Amino acid sequence: MDKKQAQEKIAELRELLNQYNHEYHVLDHPSVPDAEYDQKMQELRKLEEEFPGLVTADSPTQRVGGEPLDAFQKVQHNVPMLSLGNAFNANDLRDFARRAAQGTDDPISFVCELKIDGLAISLTYENGTFVRGATRGDGTTGEDITSNLKTIRSIPLSIKEKETIEVRGEAFMPHKSFVAMNKEREAKEEEPFANPRNAAAGSLRQLDPKIAAKRSLDIFLYGVGEWEAGTLESHSERLDYLKELGFKTNPEWRKCETIDDVIEYVEYWENERPNLNYEIDGIVIKVDNLAQQEELGFTAKSPRWAIAYKFPAEEALTTLREIELSVGRTGVITPTAILDAVKVAGTTVKRASLHNEDLIREKDIRLGDTVVIKKAGDIIPEVVRAVEDKRTGNEKEFFMPDECPACGSELVRLEEEVALRCINPNCPAQLKEGLIHFVSRNAMNIDGLGEKVIIQLFQENLIQTIADLYRLNREDLLQLERMGEKSVANLLKAIDTSKDNSLERLLFGLGIRFVGSKAAKTLAEHFETMENLQHATYDDIIAINEIGEKMADSIVRYFAEEEVTELLSELKSLNLNMEYKGPKKQDIDEDSEFSGKTVVLTGKMEILTRSEAKAAIEQLGGSVTGSVSKKTDIVIAGDDAGSKLDKAQKLGITIWNENQLREVLNN
Ligand code: IVH
């Protein structure tokens, strides 16, 4: 066989094998016996051995070829992978529908999907070939786990169209594989995995793809990330298209026209859930129309166009032995139940939050009670109620103290708050919690300065405020237990290095109420220096899209405090950086035709590629979005522009052709 003949044969075999694979792993409907598949695979392997130059990364022989890695590479998600807000009952769902209806004019349809309990994954295809798969990570940066994902047989190595597209879904371990794997692990005296989600995550984080290959993982795709050429108008069309391309989508999704239909779907699956052969932890509800999705937009944390309904959690019984009180970073006193150890939803629980005194009274929870424990959102243990029938008469009522357990000052209850607070700004427990937050990973990220060291520094009276941290010297630190010359030197270096952190880390570290790490980043990007933010008014802050009223109010109040001004000037004189160092929003030409405008590109362009056009418009201060809504300012239509152009005409939006765009760009 010469090379040309081999090439043809190889192409033919690959197509057949891809088809068999799709039928077996995606459609669950094989058309040939396994032996035939194996025989064709063998034939392909032999040919590829003979003509190694013809091996390609997307050949069916390459699923488990990868060598073990030393570490995973980081992958940037250009379209962030967000998480969803939660709903726990029908009322929450109705609220969600009401809010959505208020944010858009036309009636809304929803798509309901099963919420698969696995690991969010992004898959990138370039010109139809699978090139990269990544974990969600923190939503903006994930890890490249391409070799492990290639071992999942339902992931196509090439798709039916030569699309460049990033698709998203959930990798999971089916029940059957989970039970089998744990049995095997127990036989080998290895620790079994607590649940299928941990098992899936554990498998995909193996550096050796051969291990992932043995774990029989699967994946359902439910969304699209980056997709320049995307023209579809609804989520349901996208689900259909994903299936058409050869991806495995979950067949149980349903389009619902009303929130009552959504609730019916939710109730149906609450009962049917045990009959599935994979784990689900709720239902995801999405606004179907993509233009409406865009109109509704996002809060700092999650989209306004989707919500996750969480099924009620598994419960267990145990005894409440004691109630411990702790003082948080903002002075709130939190009672915690100390429990006899009990297993709930896969882990052992010994402590559970009781939230506040009102809740203890309301639920009439007493020391010594038998209590029902559940895990809220299947993660955080919670005391649900006391079991009155089991009382012996020896149970004791619990009362909150009048004084702070840490500093002894009188506790207060602020207006409209249920929590008791210690309002002493110098309460050591609050300062300590504040410092633990300040040095933490998402804040100033000071290596070697964990909770234990902070507690020691407090006990030895070496620090009281954030500023004190930057005044520590070698002699101070050498006094601490288990601190030798080397660790002291390392710690001092880490503290010193943190001075150069970009502004958002310091902002988050300060612990301003309601300002999380994402909001801190937004603020830093927008205001660029601490000084600008200190002088910003409520109106300046609220003008930022992602910042809500509560947060803006809290920021203004925070910077109005005299102690804060003092602390910041102290930190400045200690040489802490107070400027944003991240990528600058591009220097924008304010007089440009596109400044502040929302632009949609549609149809085929002749001279510019779509990404060139997009980059140029953004450079001139415009933002380019994917679908037409009443917020769109300009639609630029190339040849064969379809429904987006129709819609723009209907809405009376300014429409340009490619020549007009080029003219503006040339100027
Ligand atoms: S949509 C912005 N659909 O649930 C839309 N998520 O908090 C984001 N998940 O991180 C996700 N099944 O890991 C979506 N059918 C589904 C899902 C699903 C499971 C997970 C996903 C995400 C989390 C949402």
Side-chain angles (χ1 to χ4, degrees), residues 137 383 513 558:
V383 177
R513 268 187 100 191
Y558 179 83

Side-chain angles (χ1 to χ4, degrees), residues 103 116 197 239 286 358 371 500 568 590 630:
I116 314 297
R197 183 192 19 191
L239 287 174
K286 302 171 184 171
D358 281 11
V371 288
D500 294 332
L568 292 175
E590 300 224 330
K630 58 183 185 196

Side-chain angles (χ1 to χ4, degrees), residues 326-340:
S326 58
V327 187
R329 181 154 62 86
T330 57
V332 172
I333 313 292
T334 309
T336 301
I338 308 299
L339 308 159
D340 283 352

Side-chain angles (χ1 to χ4, degrees), residues 82-84 113-120 136 169-170 222 281 284 286 298 303 305-306 308:
L82 297 164
S83 59
L84 297 174
E113 290 166 31
L114 304 186
K115 186 170 185 299
I116 314 297
D117 197 8
L119 202 68
R136 172 175 182 272
E170 197 85 356
Y222 51 64
D281 59 345
V284 179
K286 302 171 184 171
F298 300 83
W305 46 265

Side-chain angles (χ1 to χ4, degrees), residues 533-534 536 553-565:
L533 181 58
Q534 280 176 281
D553 185 53
S554 161
I555 295 167
V556 174
R557 276 170 198 255
Y558 179 83
F559 286 109
E561 297 274 344
E562 212 171 293
E563 282 115 339
V564 171
T565 316

